[in-house]
């Protein structure tokens, strides 16, 4: 009965589809708005007394969550950019998160997650490619706002870890031709989480355009080539580890992310898939099918 109540609760939540606006004037070098608007505190987070974003731990308590910090920082920064009025302290939220990221970056160039990722069998202490890429976007903008070179140095270290092979403790899974897939949650076998890869790629694109390099070209070429693996015909997959459809909100996020990535890279594969998935998102039958297929798949997996 508890499982049924949970299923119904998730179904009702999925009926409320979030909107993820895309910045039409985002630039590959990151000088301007972040490609995606996220102007709110992520669910399950709060600000500590210093203004740093913290996320709830599964076992109680709170911890600084780099991805949540970056979503909040970049969303608030986009609000300032859109307003076109440089008010004093308007970019305080971004600089607060950037200062925390710079101060707490470890010797490897990253920020370890102190909580496990049970979905992928990953114990606490893992690095996230999504966090590395998004932190890069925050740090680059902090350097622009302050003129402080140390933020650029921190961005360099973040990208170095992002591109380090997962087998060597980094966040990239390389194919036989040397092209990286940027892993939100590195594991073996590789997870290939779609939204995390795109968020990470945004940061890598901005870094390479700003400070030099071509790793982003290999990463976006591989993602464009492998994108059909995420397409179920009627919906998108969250990752390639599990065969189930994404939730409605993650499907909507995929639509927005690929639209933004298509604009940023002028790659038709991203724009075309975004357009296709946008049509399925608007179709009530596809939405119902995605929910039922996922619920049935998870139920069978748990019983098995």
């Amino acid at each position: 009965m508890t499982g049924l109540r949970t299923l119904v609760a998730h179904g009702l939540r999925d009926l409320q589809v979030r909107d993820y606006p895309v910045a039409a004037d985002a630039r590959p070098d990151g000088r301007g708005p972040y490609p995606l608007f996220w102007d709110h505190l992520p669910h399950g987070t709060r600000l500590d007394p210093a203004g740093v974003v913290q996320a709830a731990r599964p076992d109680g308590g709170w911890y600084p969550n780099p991805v949540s910090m970056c979503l909040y920082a970049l969303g608030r920064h986009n609000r300032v950019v859109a307003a076109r009025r440089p008010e004093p302290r308007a970019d305080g939220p971004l600089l607060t998160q950037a200062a925390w990221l710079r101060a707490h970056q470890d010797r490897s160039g990253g920020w370890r997650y102190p909580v496990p990722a049970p979905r992928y069998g990953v114990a606490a202490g893992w690095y996230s490619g999504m966090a590395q890429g998004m932190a890069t976007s925050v740090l680059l903008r902090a350097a622009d706002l302050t003129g402080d070179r140390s933020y650029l140095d921190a961005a360099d270290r973040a990208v170095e870890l992002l591109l380090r092979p997962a087998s060597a403790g980094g966040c990239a899974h390389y194919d036989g031709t040397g092209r990286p897939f940027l892993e939100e949650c590195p594991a073996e076998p590789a997870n290939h989480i779609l939204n995390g890869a795109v968020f990470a790629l945004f940061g890598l694109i901005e870094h390479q355009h700003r400070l030099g390099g071509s790793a982003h070209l290999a990463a976006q070429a591989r993602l464009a080539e492998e994108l059909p693996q995420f397409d179920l015909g009627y919906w998108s997959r969250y990752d390639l580890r599990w065969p189930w459809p994404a939730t409605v909100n993650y499907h909507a996020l995929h639509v927005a992310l690929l639209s933004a990535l298509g604009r940023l890279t002028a790659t038709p594969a991203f724009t075309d898939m975004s357009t296709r998935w946008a049509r399925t998102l608007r179709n009530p039958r596809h939405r119902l099918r995605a929910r039922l297929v996922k619920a049935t798949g998870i139920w069978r997996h748990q019983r098995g």
Side-chain angles (χ1 to χ4, degrees):
M1 190 65 180
T2 301
L4 178 59
R5 284 198 298 266
T6 301
L7 182 60
V8 171
H10 287 174
L12 292 174
R13 187 176 60 195
D14 271 358
L15 293 177
Q16 302 173 352
V17 183
R18 283 195 51 82
D19 183 36
Y20 302 96
V22 173
D25 52 346
R27 295 172 41 166
D29 61 7
R31 289 189 169 92
Y34 189 68
L36 198 74
F37 281 80
W38 188 295
D39 195 15
H40 63 285
L41 271 173
H43 177 72
T45 66
R46 69 176 187 182
L47 296 178
D48 72 6
V52 176
V53 179
Q54 296 184 324
R57 298 178 62 102
D59 56 353
W62 300 85
Y63 72 99
N65 183 306
V67 165
S68 297
M69 292 166 61
C70 294
L71 284 170
Y72 177 66
L74 293 165
R76 300 290 292 189
H77 178 69
N78 273 10
R79 178 188 290 184
V80 174
V81 172
R84 300 185 184 279
R85 45 187 172 88
E87 296 179 355
R89 297 187 299 276
D91 261 309
L94 181 138
L95 293 177
T96 295
Q97 314 312 313
W100 188 96
L101 290 167
R102 180 183 58 182
H104 293 84
Q105 188 176 39
D106 66 22
R107 293 183 179 181
S108 295
W111 302 269
R112 291 188 182 275
Y113 270 73
V115 294
R119 177 185 176 99
Y120 303 111
V122 174
W126 51 284
Y127 292 116
S128 168
M130 182 175 176
Q132 298 299 126
M134 296 192 74
T136 298
S137 294
V138 170
L139 293 165
L140 290 176
R141 287 163 175 78
D144 290 341
L145 292 167
T146 65
D148 190 335
R149 172 73 203 189
S150 67
Y151 285 116
L152 295 181
D153 294 337
D156 284 342
R157 293 193 295 272
V159 166
E160 181 181 352
L161 180 60
L162 172 63
L163 293 175
R164 188 178 304 164
S167 58
C171 301
H173 175 273
Y174 287 86
D175 65 11
T177 64
R179 300 178 304 176
F181 192 101
L182 308 177
E183 296 287 349
E184 177 180 341
C185 183
E188 183 60 42
N191 300 312
H192 290 2
I193 301 170
L194 180 55
N195 84 92
V198 178
F199 276 117
L201 185 52
F202 286 156
L204 181 59
I205 289 171
E206 292 177 352
H207 177 273
Q208 306 283 267
H209 275 269
R210 185 83 67 93
L211 300 172
S214 59
H216 64 295
L217 297 176
Q220 70 191 44
R222 181 176 178 186
L223 183 58
E225 181 180 303
E226 297 184 358
L227 195 56
Q229 296 182 50
F230 293 91
D231 184 25
L232 294 172
Y234 63 95
W235 209 253
S236 64
R237 293 171 63 175
Y238 177 81
D239 58 31
L240 297 186
R241 178 72 172 272
W242 302 102
W244 310 315
T247 65
V248 172
N249 276 322
Y250 268 108
H251 186 64
L253 180 60
H254 292 161
V255 169
L257 286 172
L258 292 181
S259 174
L261 189 58
R263 290 174 181 266
L264 208 60
T265 65
T267 302
F270 300 134
T271 303
D272 293 346
M273 190 66 79
S274 174
T275 301
R276 288 189 62 241
W277 285 348
R279 287 197 296 266
T280 67
L281 179 63
R282 293 191 296 267
N283 190 315
R285 288 179 298 174
H286 290 321
R287 289 169 60 176
L288 178 60
R289 179 182 178 185
R291 184 64 219 170
L292 291 176
V293 170
K294 180 170 185 176
T296 302
I298 293 176
W299 180 75
R300 288 176 176 171
H301 174 74
Q302 291 175 340
R303 285 177 61 87

